[in-house]
Amino acid sequence: MAGPGVPEVLDLAGIFVFAVSGGLAAVRQRLDVVGMVVLAEITALGGGILRDLLIGAVPPAAFTSLGYVLVPLAASALVFFWHPQVTRLLPAVLLFDAAGLGLFCATGTLKALEHGLSPLHSVLLGVVTAVGGGVLRDMLGGQIPSVLYDRQLYALPAMLGAAVMAVAYTADLHGGAVTAGAAVLATGLRLLAIRYGWRTPRPRGVPD
């Protein structure tokens, strides 16, 4: 049996880091192990399931590949037993969330392109893939989803990474290096926004 291709490996990497993000959010909310697993699975798989349903890739990959279920479980176990150590690795929630955002915007856009969608619609679906799980995580955790107040650049880095992925694909540039490059770009922009406090503007007259 052939091993997973580069896009699937990157997709699984995005699932892992988003699942860690969901697991750490569960720790902050003082949830039990069941709540942690649910939050990790939904954060990791929610955006991809929505993308697959929209492009007609049914059943979604989350229900056809064992790895898509086991990887979030492994991330949940990691956070359950070693969350103090994981949390000490920089601001872990934001770091893992940014990495998942970058990986998912790139792989989500690529999958939409491969299913014949236009570059513009593929970019939109790449953003949905990137932010969908985080929206569900925040809602279940009783928080306003980050994408609704893009104050430290959440959706915009995903949109930029997805756009780079679409432009590269239409220019006949393919391969894991291109996908990884788009992911790194989105991740880096998100982390820089957090580091330097870059913000999107509010409507005129609305105070910060």
Side-chain angles (χ1 to χ4, degrees):
M1 181 183 297
V6 171
E8 185 177 351
V9 170
L10 291 174
D11 211 25
L12 289 172
I15 286 171
F16 179 80
V17 294
F18 254 174
V20 170
S21 164
L24 290 172
V27 172
R28 293 203 330 268
Q29 296 292 329
R30 302 178 63 86
L31 303 182
D32 64 12
V33 63
V34 175
M36 175 180 288
V37 171
V38 169
L39 210 57
E41 293 277 358
I42 287 178
T43 305
L45 303 177
I49 290 173
L50 181 57
R51 173 204 63 209
D52 289 350
L53 291 175
L54 289 173
I55 65 177
V58 292
F63 299 105
T64 59
S65 172
L66 191 59
Y68 281 68
V69 178
L70 294 181
V71 166
L73 288 177
S76 298
L78 174 69
V79 174
F80 184 81
F81 289 106
W82 295 289
H83 65 86
Q85 291 84 351
V86 174
T87 303
R88 283 197 291 268
L89 300 175
L90 303 173
V93 175
L94 295 177
L95 176 65
F96 283 112
D97 188 67
L101 185 82
L103 285 163
F104 272 16
C105 76
T107 58
T109 303
L110 177 61
K111 188 165 185 177
L113 288 164
E114 290 176 341
H115 276 74
L117 270 69
S118 71
L120 175 60
H121 292 102
S122 296
V123 168
L124 293 176
L125 270 188
V127 174
V128 168
T129 306
V131 305
V135 168
L136 293 172
R137 177 200 63 214
D138 292 344
M139 291 176 64
L140 289 174
Q143 301 176 357
I144 299 175
S146 300
V147 70
L148 298 183
Y149 60 103
D150 202 14
R151 301 296 288 151
Q152 286 188 325
L153 305 191
Y154 193 76
L156 285 180
M159 192 175 299
L160 178 61
V164 168
M165 187 73 244
V167 169
Y169 189 90
T170 55
D172 205 27
L173 297 174
H174 307 287
V178 174
T179 307
V184 168
L185 177 64
T187 301
L189 179 57
R190 168 69 174 151
L191 292 175
L192 286 172
I194 295 170
R195 173 65 177 82
Y196 294 106
W198 296 344
R199 297 175 179 268
T200 51
R202 292 183 187 267
R204 184 176 181 181
V206 176
D208 286 333

